[in-house]
Amino acid sequence: MNLLGKLDWNAIPLHEPIIMGATGFMVLVVVGVLGFVTAKGAWPYLWREWLTSVDHKRIGAMYCILALVMMLRGFSDAIMIRAQQALAAGGAQGYLPPEHFNQIFSAHGTIMILFMAMPFVVGLMNFAVPLQLGVRDVAFPTLNSVSFWLTASGALLVNISLAVGEFSKATWWGYPPLSEMQYSPGVGVDYYLWSLQISGIGTLLAGINFVTTILKLRAPGMGYMRMPVFCWTALAANLLIVAAFPVLTATLAMLALDRYLGFHFFTLEGQGNQMLYSNLFWVWGHPEVYILILPAFGVFSEVMATFSGKPLFGYRSMVAATMAICILSFLVWLHHFFTMGASANVNGFFGVMSMIIALPTGAKVFNWLFTMYGGRVRFSVPVLWSIGFMVTFVIGGMTGVLMAVPPADFQLHNSVFLVAHFHNVAIGGVVFGVMAGYNYWFPKAFGFKLDERWGRASFWCWLVGFYVAFMPLYVLGLMGMTRRMQHYDNLSWQPWLIGAAFGTAIILVGVVCQIVQLVVSIRHREGLRDVTGDPWNGRTLEWATASPPPAWNFAFQPKVAGLDAFWSSKNRAQAKKDEPTPTRKYEPVEMPKNSATGFVTAFFAVVIGFALIWHIWWLASVGVFGAFMTLLAFSFRRHNEIEVPAEEIARFVRAHQAGVAA
């Protein structure tokens, strides 16, 4: 009996210089970071304030940090894909062998959708939603920590696959029969399965947490129709998470049973059905598109209202459009495989529904435009990202409506036209949205603004680079180029692919500008300091507290009397500025106690995942036992909360008021 299952020295790809070089670089970065933290003596601080924190703001920041790190990893894959396709024409074979190329594009899609975009939108929701609702934390703070660390566990497993074994070659959606054991006998698909299962459980727990928080923990007076639009979009996105992610979990579980125990859910032999996988995957997959884009829509709504200096135009229609998208997103999944044999009636129904879902999205664009109309728009970096989104996303939406017509889709399906369309909405919508939110809420999270000059440079590089990188793919799709080609013989495609590679290089400059922006902002943070807590003259409740907010968020729970609660309170305070301010008595606040449950559970989740991937059954048993005992110990904890003394709260408020007055 082999105690290490399928794991041996052959699992390390020593014969692949590119992989080993990337692995070496990744190891050096990790060792460098750990060494820096050790040299600074920061481990007690990190453990106390971050790794074991259950504060929604810290957890939101960690989600965003994870997303930014994974963006660098996923974007490096994109650079390799574009460079290979620019070179590998005719007799030239490029620099990536087919097996490695297949792993790269599978990892790129998996990372960018599930480990970059998803953590980023969940991170922004984590940070902003409780503050906008006027509450002190989410409904289940420790569960929130577990959710984050499970997501980080999945991301870690994906990165381990770079150095030990391989990643899936079956694309980011893992269609059978390619993902079945017969065609993928290695561990690549298993890395894919268990990283998604572990992170998916974390995301589902986060969705339950946010739905409960938004429905049950709003400030006094904040009815549903007084919630900020970002809270509405977060509610819709998390309802979709709760409804859709169990479908993904069940689908991947069935595929795992096929691979591990010889079941036949998706194999042709044994009466299996490959189309069952396609239907189940996209029943989750298309709502996932809106899980990502709806919070971005909420960010744009907050940004446009704040920087236009006026209420959001058509608030009720925005809410109605958001919830309409939430429902309709479950009625369009089959447009992902119009070409796979459904009847004309079925294709027609899903084609019509795919066009109808564009209507509430279009209504939102007009609402943002009318919000700007008549306002005094300040063209700060978040606004630039928002305007860039509107232009870019509308183009992507129109190409989506085109592909919703089944006859057109028969010509364009599986071509790089689809790649261009998807990136048109994913980058122009989700990435531009999270970057707008990142620049918008950064001063609230860390107490100082991001540098405007480098932020503008990053935006323009992203915008120009996107068009240079992806507009050629529309042309190539119409010329007949299919997706995922490691090599091609049609030399007329090469100039367009060289142009696309050049666009990717421009985006790379934008990414570098973002890194420089962060470094410059940290170095000059005193000059960029926000002492007021309201650097943008905001409208919603997150701007009513200090920057960064204290652990308890609000010294006194806000009372809401209408929309744009903070804007209204500022106007009332201005009208009564000559009147004496009544003295209010501070009271102690009960706050959830830090817990290592999330971090320790994630450790055992990595152990379980790695052991199942390599068939090390005894180690998987150890991981399951450790995770169970961790959760059991948490269940029998004696002290759930700590009390923040009233004197500490009063001292913080006085210091903040003194800083504002100075």
Side-chain angles (χ1 to χ4, degrees), residues 31 66 112 116 164 179 189 204 216 261 293 301 318 337 351 369 391 397 417 431 467 474 503-504 506 583 592 622:
V31 170
L66 173 66
M112 289 306 234
M116 191 286 283
V164 184
S179 57
V189 174
L204 177 60
K216 305 299 289 186
L261 296 178
I293 198 64
S301 299
M318 274 291 209
F337 44 95
L369 291 173
V391 175
F417 189 98
V431 175
Y467 281 98
Y474 282 121
T504 306
I506 298 174
T583 303
V622 171

Side-chain angles (χ1 to χ4, degrees), residues 28-93:
L28 285 176
V29 170
V30 171
V31 170
V33 171
L34 296 179
F36 177 79
V37 172
T38 303
K40 291 289 185 180
W43 284 114
Y45 168 79
L46 280 178
W47 179 258
R48 183 180 65 254
E49 298 294 334
W50 290 90
L51 301 182
T52 62
S53 176
V54 298
D55 185 343
H56 71 94
K57 302 178 289 297
R58 296 286 172 90
I59 293 172
M62 288 191 290
Y63 265 114
C64 293
I65 292 168
L66 173 66
L68 289 169
V69 171
M70 295 304 289
M71 182 180 76
L72 296 177
R73 166 70 207 280
F75 186 66
S76 66
D77 291 335
I79 293 171
M80 296 175 73
I81 293 169
R82 287 286 158 254
Q84 169 67 19
Q85 291 187 326
L87 295 172
Q93 297 300 313

Side-chain angles (χ1 to χ4, degrees), residues 268-307:
L268 290 178
E269 63 272 17
Q271 305 299 309
N273 187 342
Q274 297 168 11
M275 283 305 300
L276 175 62
Y277 183 93
S278 300
N279 277 281
L280 289 173
F281 185 89
W282 288 113
V283 164
W284 163 80
H286 204 82
E288 169 68 7
V289 173
Y290 293 99
I291 289 169
L292 297 177
I293 198 64
L294 282 172
F297 288 168
V299 171
F300 297 130
S301 299
E302 301 298 335
V303 167
M304 286 304 182
T306 296
F307 288 94

Side-chain angles (χ1 to χ4, degrees), residues 213-278:
T213 301
I214 296 170
L215 294 182
K216 305 299 289 186
L217 293 185
R218 301 182 306 278
M222 184 176 284
Y224 290 128
M225 298 311 293
R226 291 178 177 177
M227 290 197 307
V229 171
F230 184 71
C231 293
W232 271 108
T233 58
L235 175 62
N238 285 284
L239 286 171
L240 290 175
I241 287 173
V242 173
F245 264 82
V247 179
L248 177 67
T249 300
T251 305
L252 297 181
M254 285 188 277
L255 181 57
L257 288 171
D258 278 8
R259 290 181 58 83
Y260 281 75
L261 296 178
F263 281 43
H264 297 288
F265 287 108
F266 308 125
T267 58
L268 290 178
E269 63 272 17
Q271 305 299 309
N273 187 342
Q274 297 168 11
M275 283 305 300
L276 175 62
Y277 183 93
S278 300

Side-chain angles (χ1 to χ4, degrees), residues 333-381:
W333 81 85
L334 195 127
H335 71 216
H336 289 273
F337 44 95
F338 276 147
T339 63
M340 292 188 182
S343 69
N345 289 337
V346 171
N347 280 357
F349 171 81
F350 283 95
V352 170
M353 297 309 299
S354 300
M355 297 177 199
I356 289 175
I357 201 171
L359 298 178
T361 305
K364 286 175 173 286
V365 174
F366 282 107
N367 282 13
W368 293 318
L369 291 173
F370 284 125
T371 300
M372 296 175 68
Y373 179 75
R376 302 183 65 179
V377 183
R378 293 167 285 153
F379 291 95
S380 188
V381 173

